[in-house]
Amino acid sequence: MSDTPETSEPPAGMDWETYYAHRNRLDEIRVQQSSAFDKSILTLSSGGLAFSLVVLQSIPNPKNIVANQVLVWSWILFVVAILMNVLSYYVSSKAAEVSNFRDKLTRILNSASGILFATGAVCLLVFAYKNGMVP
């Protein structure tokens, strides 16, 4: 049994055209909010990762860092957040997929860029660790 009653009439005080226009506007707002959230998470995670690396460079003796595991975990979490965000973009694009050559090429390029980004992020973490930024 459905929670919404089936009716041939629009909600009180609205005609169908107004109702559909209102529903479409709510959908647009939802998409815009989701996009803004994704961009915010991507920006903040990238900024947090970059900021932590800049701060590490300004420390005169990185061997004396306290709570280095917390720093490494922050890097891991920032990178995972970025990867999840990028994966979210990829998955949402697949939801509207139309199969043709350009779409297949786009999928290949997106997959390659995701793998390259992940490998680069891991290399950055290894570099920071191996160069004594994290004892």
Side-chain angles (χ1 to χ4, degrees):
M1 187 169 189
S2 175
D3 290 342
T4 57
E6 292 185 27
T7 178
S8 60
E9 295 297 317
M14 283 190 194
D15 59 21
W16 280 115
E17 187 174 315
T18 304
Y19 174 73
Y20 285 129
H22 178 70
R23 289 295 309 155
N24 288 338
R25 181 65 185 136
L26 290 176
D27 287 340
E28 289 173 15
I29 290 170
R30 181 187 52 78
V31 168
Q32 289 171 355
Q33 290 291 330
S34 178
S35 178
F37 179 78
D38 286 345
K39 289 175 186 175
S40 296
I41 293 297
L42 185 59
T43 300
L44 292 170
S45 295
S46 301
L49 185 59
F51 178 75
S52 69
L53 293 172
V54 168
V55 167
L56 274 179
Q57 288 179 343
S58 68
I59 296 174
N61 188 359
K63 297 289 184 189
N64 294 331
I65 294 175
V66 178
N68 58 353
Q69 293 86 6
V70 175
L71 179 63
V72 171
W73 272 107
S74 75
W75 288 346
I76 291 168
L77 294 171
F78 284 143
V79 168
V80 170
I82 292 167
L83 291 174
M84 290 295 177
N85 193 270
V86 171
L87 182 62
S88 167
Y89 287 129
Y90 179 70
V91 170
S92 68
S93 73
K94 301 260 309 162
E97 182 176 299
V98 175
S99 185
N100 64 36
F101 174 74
R102 289 184 197 144
D103 290 327
K104 290 177 184 177
L105 180 59
T106 300
R107 273 194 305 253
I108 291 168
L109 294 173
N110 284 342
S111 297
S113 67
I115 290 167
L116 291 170
F117 173 80
T119 305
V122 169
C123 289
L124 177 63
L125 290 174
V126 170
F127 173 80
Y129 184 79
K130 292 283 186 182
N131 283 287
M133 293 180 178
V134 179

